[in-house]
Amino acid sequence: STGRKNLTAITAPIDLGIIARIARRSALVQRASSHAPMRALLLVTLALVQAQHYHQHHMPRAKFDDQTGAPLNDAARAILARHSATAPAPGAGATEAFDSLVDVAVAAGTWKFVLLECELDGRRKRIVRALQGLKYHAENYDVTAAPLKALGVHVRVVGGGRIKRDDAAKTISVYGYSKTFGRSPGCNEATAEMIRAALPGYRVDWSDEGY
């Protein structure tokens, strides 16, 4: 719906709530049918478990080098391994999860963001994520991508940077880049355009300068 696409405040990874509900419902359907493929059940169960872990903040926090963007612990290396992994064939709930993705989720304050491209059955959708409480670009990627990829949705990082959202002034600035994922020409401009469409009440500017 339009209301779901154009959010004014994001304080949590809302995609996970949507995907968790889809996974839970899909798992119940799979259990009810003795002919349902066990692989699909495993996929949606995995997606639900990952979503619940992120939602409850039980996963170890990743650490990346602030100067180089390199991973500094096992949790960070695991994120990059998941980023490199290929998504399995689409499972139950993949289409609904893909169709339910919010275009833009930007928390108030200054946070790192990623521009992601999701693909399912030849359809592609770009989404922006700058979630509150996530220190690294890779965390923004993983919170969104891990449950989606478990369902069979391909997710790749287009680029990243920082977003400063001032709700009092109704301004949003997009700038910088991701040291972990590298510079991506056109990323900040494209991100700003998406934010303008999702949040028309804000003045949005962008730059490739800074970090």
Side-chain angles (χ1 to χ4, degrees):
S1 67
T2 301
R4 188 169 62 194
K5 294 290 185 180
N6 299 324
L7 299 179
T8 57
I10 300 296
T11 57
I14 55 171
D15 295 329
L16 298 182
I18 295 171
I19 294 170
R21 288 195 298 274
I22 293 168
R24 187 179 296 111
R25 183 166 62 251
S26 299
L28 291 174
V29 171
Q30 294 285 354
R31 291 192 188 100
S33 172
S34 60
H35 302 292
M38 181 57 68
R39 184 166 177 272
L41 173 58
L42 292 174
L43 285 174
V44 296
T45 302
L46 175 60
L48 174 60
V49 169
Q50 288 175 321
Q52 288 176 329
H53 274 230
Y54 269 115
H55 230 8
Q56 298 167 6
H57 308 290
H58 286 169
M59 294 193 76
R61 292 304 297 265
K63 293 183 179 180
F64 290 83
D65 189 285
D66 290 331
Q67 299 301 316
T68 67
L72 296 178
N73 64 0
D74 288 342
R77 286 185 282 272
I79 289 178
L80 296 186
R82 287 192 290 274
H83 173 256
S84 300
T86 301
T95 298
E96 189 175 355
F98 183 87
D99 291 340
S100 299
L101 284 171
V102 175
D103 295 339
V104 173
V106 176
T110 302
W111 302 100
K112 291 182 178 179
F113 82 91
V114 286
L115 174 61
L116 305 176
E117 183 171 86
C118 306
E119 182 176 358
L120 179 67
D121 296 331
R123 295 189 296 150
R124 294 180 180 180
K125 175 187 294 187
R126 285 192 173 188
I127 59 176
V128 176
R129 294 294 179 269
L131 302 176
Q132 182 173 315
L134 300 186
K135 185 177 180 181
Y136 303 108
H137 294 102
E139 286 184 306
N140 273 285
Y141 160 80
D142 203 41
V143 164
T144 305
L148 286 170
K149 291 182 76 169
L151 290 173
V153 179
H154 297 270
V155 185
R156 74 175 185 90
V157 177
V158 177
R162 294 180 193 259
I163 294 178
K164 180 178 180 180
R165 172 173 171 168
D166 187 330
D167 287 341
K170 294 292 183 181
T171 59
I172 296 177
S173 296
V174 182
Y175 62 97
Y177 67 101
S178 169
K179 291 183 177 179
T180 297
F181 297 116
R183 292 185 180 272
S184 177
C187 170
N188 292 355
E189 182 178 10
T191 298
E193 290 177 357
M194 291 180 63
I195 294 173
R196 289 190 190 103
L199 300 171
Y202 285 72
R203 180 170 56 83
V204 182
D205 59 62
W206 68 273
S207 169
D208 286 332
E209 301 300 319
Y211 170 71

